[in-house]
């Protein structure tokens, strides 16, 4: 039990009360609901993840050795160059669900360039029989390689440290390692460092992990689990849960989860959520810690939830006015449901009820990304997804359009086309999808944005932001209009249901 003067965080706890017998019963019921929703992985999956990470580290070291030899290193020096593969995100926090991705970063010495990594590691992975769905997205803000390794999705980053070799006992939490790194490398290694700091700043790790699983399941089911689309991603939700754990340090996970929603609703935004006083570190040339007094861009963050590792960053910098309103609205709804769960009048399943996005709006935009090659489609689709937030931001600026709600998942289809008419329909996301038969294969991914107009849609012109968005994504250096397409269509709900 945490005592009155032993608390973590930047303020005293709101309550030091421990769980009652009723709370403990709710906790057991919560854990059962989480297990039924596959929010815990089996021992077999856990072992497979460890095997995959071991193989990724072997590949990293082998790649660095071979790249070092090509750069003129002796075999001994090339071997001593080392290398590591570290997890971040849910795996590092220990909250991964059965179907969770592995987020990992390859740590390389200073003589290995990012180009070396994307060429060398990509080729080594391509030769592995366990690897499928391999694609490199170099134009992302933080470049990434995506793949499945033995069936487990992996997002792989690269970070170059200012070291001649990467030892096996590398202390990634040492802030001196950040000196002279570029911004992309700092962001890449900070994923691991942030997870480590979160675990250091919660009073009870098992309670934190169960509460995070609960909030994640709720956020996924309600369609508000995505940093890319302007909602809260996994790190932001984990930080929010960690802060509530600090405020209720002796509470069980069911109580912590119930408090998250009311605190989110009543928090004095944009006052930041922090787990600790801003940590100190060496001066960095390319990036500064989050500080709205010094950095004008930081003043614009609507729901600042701040990472605890140096340099501190806002985990919710992508949030828009619309996604802020949607998140707060969902938290209000969840708080009302939790009040009934806590008195036993509703089961936990009521909290985890799925979203109704496709019933909520009368008007939608459909963005269909297409290609005639599966590998090209992975790269092209990733690029468009990363740039969709630019479209939502420009739509928000239109007078009379009061809510712009991006759906957080894309819908993949494959069409087999035998003539030009069928190809034209496929690239518009129309027709019956099928991978069977002979013909041209068209791969598509459709994204949706719900729109709420104060004025009638006929009185508002949204063509300009749509045109600018299409021009922006088509400016990608790998774009080839003969093999790729992007179509943006306005749809009414009635039309959407008949597609």
């Amino acid at each position: 039990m945490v005592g009155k003067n032993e608390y973590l965080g930047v303020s005293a706890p709101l309550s030091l009360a421990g769980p009652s017998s009723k709370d403990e019963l709710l906790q057991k019921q919560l854990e059962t609901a989480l297990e039924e929703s596959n929010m815990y992985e089996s021992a077999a999956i856990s072992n497979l993840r460890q095997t995959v990470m071991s193989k990724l580290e072997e590949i990293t070291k082998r790649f660095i050795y071979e790249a070092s030899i090509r750069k003129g290193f002796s075999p001994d020096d090339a071997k001593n160059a080392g290398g590591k593969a570290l997890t971040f995100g849910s795996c590092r926090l220990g909250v991964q669900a059965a179907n969770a991705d592995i987020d990992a970063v390859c740590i390389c010495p200073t003589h290995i360039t990012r180009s070396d990594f994307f060429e060398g590691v990509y080729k080594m992975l391509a030769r592995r029989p366990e690897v499928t769905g391999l694609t490199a997205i170099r134009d992302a803000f933080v470049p990434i390689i995506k793949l499945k390794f033995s069936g487990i999705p992996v997002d792989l980053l690269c970070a170059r440290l200012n070291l001649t070799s990467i030892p096996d006992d590398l202390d990634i939490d040492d802030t001196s390692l950040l000196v002279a790194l570029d911004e992309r490398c700092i962001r890449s290694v900070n994923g691991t460092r942030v997870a480590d700091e979160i675990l250091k700043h919660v009073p009870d790790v098992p309670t934190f992990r169960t509460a995070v699983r609960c909030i994640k399941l709720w956020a996924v089911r309600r369609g508000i689990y995505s940093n890319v689309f302007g909602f809260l991603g996994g790190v932001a939700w984990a930080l929010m849960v960690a802060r509530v754990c600090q405020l209720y340090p002796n509470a069980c996970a069911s109580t912590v989860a119930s408090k998250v929603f009311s605190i989110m609703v009543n928090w004095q935004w944009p006052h930041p959520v922090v787990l600790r006083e801003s940590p100190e570190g060496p001066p960095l040339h390319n990036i500064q810690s989050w500080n709205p007094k010094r950095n004008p861009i930081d003043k614009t963050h609507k729901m600042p939830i701040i990472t605890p590792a140096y340099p501190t960053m806002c985990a919710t910098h992508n949030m828009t006015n619309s996604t802020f309103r949607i998140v707060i609205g969902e938290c209000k709804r969840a708080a009302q449901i939790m009040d009934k769960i806590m008195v036993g009048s509703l089961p936990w399943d009521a909290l985890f009820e799925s979203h109704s996005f496709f019933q909520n709006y009368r008007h939608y935009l459909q963005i269909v990304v297409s290609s005639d090659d599966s590998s090209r489609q992975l790269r092209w689709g990733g690029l468009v997804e990363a740039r969709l937030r630019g479209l939502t931001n420009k739509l928000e600026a239109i007078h009379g359009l009061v809510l712009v709600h991006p759906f957080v998942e894309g819908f993949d289809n494959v069409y087999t086309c035998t003539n030009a008419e069928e190809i034209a329909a496929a690239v518009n996301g129309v027709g019956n999808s099928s991978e069977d038969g002979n013909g041209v294969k068209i791969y598509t991914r459709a994204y949706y944005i719900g729109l709420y107009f104060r004025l009638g849609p006929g009185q508002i012109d949204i063509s300009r932001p749509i045109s600018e968005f299409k021009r922006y994504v088509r400016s990608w250096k790998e774009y080839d209009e003969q093999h790729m397409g992007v179509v943006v269509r306005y749809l009414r709900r009635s039309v959407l249901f008949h597609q």
Side-chain angles (χ1 to χ4, degrees):
M1 297 285 285
V2 173
K4 187 175 182 181
N5 299 314
E6 302 170 341
Y7 61 85
L8 295 167
V10 294
S11 63
L14 296 177
S15 172
L16 293 173
S20 65
S21 57
K22 187 177 181 180
D23 293 333
E24 290 173 347
L25 176 60
L26 284 167
Q27 167 92 1
K28 291 179 181 178
Q29 292 171 344
L30 170 60
E31 290 173 347
T32 298
L34 294 176
E35 287 174 2
E36 291 174 349
S37 296
N38 293 318
M39 294 304 292
Y40 297 93
E41 65 181 9
S42 66
I45 294 295
S46 180
N47 291 335
L48 180 57
R49 286 188 200 279
Q50 293 176 18
T51 299
V52 169
M53 280 306 301
S54 295
K55 290 182 178 180
L56 287 175
E57 182 150 315
E58 290 174 10
I59 290 169
T60 300
K61 289 183 175 181
R62 183 66 190 176
F63 149 69
I64 291 172
Y65 175 84
E66 292 180 359
S68 300
I69 291 292
R70 287 194 296 272
K71 292 175 182 286
F73 282 54
S74 69
D76 285 345
D77 288 342
K79 185 176 181 179
N80 290 335
K84 286 194 73 65
L86 302 173
T87 58
F88 61 97
S90 62
C91 289
R92 190 79 175 188
L93 289 171
V95 297
Q96 64 272 23
N99 61 349
D101 298 358
I102 293 177
D103 295 313
V105 55
C106 295
I107 309 297
C108 303
T110 187
H111 62 275
I112 301 296
T113 68
R114 191 171 281 108
S115 294
D116 292 334
F117 171 80
F118 273 91
E119 292 174 12
V121 170
Y122 185 93
K123 289 178 180 177
M124 294 180 76
L125 289 168
R127 294 195 294 264
R128 302 284 301 219
E130 313 100 313
V131 172
T132 58
L134 180 63
T135 185
I137 304 173
R138 301 183 184 221
D139 292 330
F141 185 68
V142 177
I144 187 171
I145 294 177
K146 288 179 169 286
L147 64 140
K148 285 188 176 181
F149 202 117
S150 298
I152 294 182
V154 178
D155 287 349
L156 196 59
L157 309 181
C158 167
R160 298 169 61 213
L161 300 187
N162 193 27
L163 299 174
T164 57
S165 65
I166 306 299
D168 288 338
D169 60 352
L170 176 74
D171 179 10
I172 198 66
D173 297 322
D174 180 0
T175 57
S176 68
L177 296 175
L178 304 177
V179 175
L181 301 191
D182 65 24
E183 183 177 356
R184 288 179 294 182
C185 286
I186 291 173
R187 290 183 180 276
S188 294
V189 298
N190 252 22
T192 299
R193 299 175 68 252
V194 164
D196 292 347
E197 288 297 323
I198 291 174
L199 294 177
K200 291 176 187 175
H201 286 85
V202 293
D204 186 79
V205 171
T207 295
F208 163 77
R209 285 174 170 162
T210 301
V212 167
R213 284 186 162 97
C214 173
I215 298 301
K216 179 177 180 178
L217 178 59
W218 164 78
V220 169
R221 293 273 177 89
R222 300 306 298 171
I224 55 171
Y225 188 87
S226 172
N227 175 51
V228 172
F229 287 99
F231 297 101
L232 278 69
V235 171
W237 284 119
L239 288 166
M240 199 69 223
V241 172
R243 183 64 183 124
V244 176
C245 286
Q246 292 178 341
L247 295 173
Y248 297 88
N250 298 320
C252 63
S254 56
T255 301
V256 169
S258 72
K259 299 295 184 183
V260 167
F261 306 116
S262 58
I263 287 177
M264 290 277 288
V265 170
N266 295 308
W267 195 266
Q268 297 302 301
W269 307 109
H271 185 74
V273 170
V274 296
L275 299 187
R276 59 183 294 195
E277 298 294 345
S278 187
E280 298 295 326
L284 303 174
H285 298 297
N286 299 306
I287 192 169
Q288 294 179 324
S289 280
W290 187 86
N291 187 334
K293 295 180 180 178
R294 282 189 299 191
N295 306 326
I297 192 69
D298 294 344
K299 292 181 181 179
T300 67
H301 295 152
K302 297 165 181 62
M303 185 183 281
I305 301 175
I306 309 306
T307 59
Y310 179 83
T312 58
M313 302 178 191
C314 180
T316 49
H317 65 279
N318 286 339
M319 181 164 275
T320 68
N321 290 326
S322 292
T323 55
F324 177 90
R325 290 171 58 191
I326 292 163
V327 169
I328 294 300
E330 286 291 346
C331 286
K332 288 180 178 178
R333 173 187 176 277
Q336 294 172 350
I337 292 172
M338 279 304 312
D339 287 344
K340 296 178 180 179
I341 291 174
M342 297 303 281
V343 298
S345 61
L346 278 179
W348 282 100
D349 287 348
L351 180 67
F352 304 133
E353 181 182 313
S354 292
H355 65 84
S356 54
F357 174 83
F358 292 102
Q359 291 82 42
N360 288 350
Y361 301 96
R362 292 175 61 191
H363 312 284
Y364 294 85
L365 285 184
Q366 180 194 56
I367 301 95
V368 180
V369 187
S370 60
S371 176
D372 58 4
D373 177 81
S374 59
S375 178
R376 185 184 290 118
Q377 175 69 0
L378 285 170
R379 299 194 305 276
W380 174 225
L383 182 282
V384 174
E385 180 177 300
R387 296 183 176 181
L388 268 174
R389 191 167 51 87
L391 174 59
T392 61
N393 285 338
K394 289 184 177 181
L395 289 168
E396 274 201 351
I398 295 176
H399 177 70
L401 184 48
V402 295
L403 196 71
V404 180
H405 185 168
F407 190 62
V408 297
E409 296 178 22
F411 297 87
D412 293 317
N413 277 303
V414 182
Y415 299 86
T416 301
C417 305
T418 58
N419 55 54
E421 185 177 306
E422 290 181 353
I423 291 174
V427 299
N428 280 276
V430 178
N432 297 318
S433 60
S434 173
E435 294 189 56
D436 300 329
N438 297 319
V440 176
K441 294 287 191 297
I442 301 296
Y443 301 84
T444 69
R445 170 166 284 193
Y447 298 97
Y448 294 89
I449 299 174
L451 305 174
Y452 180 71
F453 295 93
R454 179 180 289 119
L455 305 172
Q459 300 172 267
I460 297 175
D461 183 8
I462 61 174
S463 61
R464 182 171 179 176
I466 290 173
S467 296
E468 290 176 349
F469 168 73
K470 290 192 290 187
R471 187 163 53 248
Y472 179 40
V473 297
R474 287 169 179 164
S475 68
W476 184 40
K477 63 183 179 182
E478 294 186 36
Y479 177 72
D480 183 345
E481 66 179 357
Q482 299 298 317
H483 301 282
M484 304 175 184
V486 58
V487 174
V488 183
R489 296 197 300 157
Y490 162 75
L491 298 174
R492 288 184 175 272
R493 181 172 58 199
S494 56
V495 175
L496 191 66
F497 281 134
H498 287 92
Q499 290 207 137

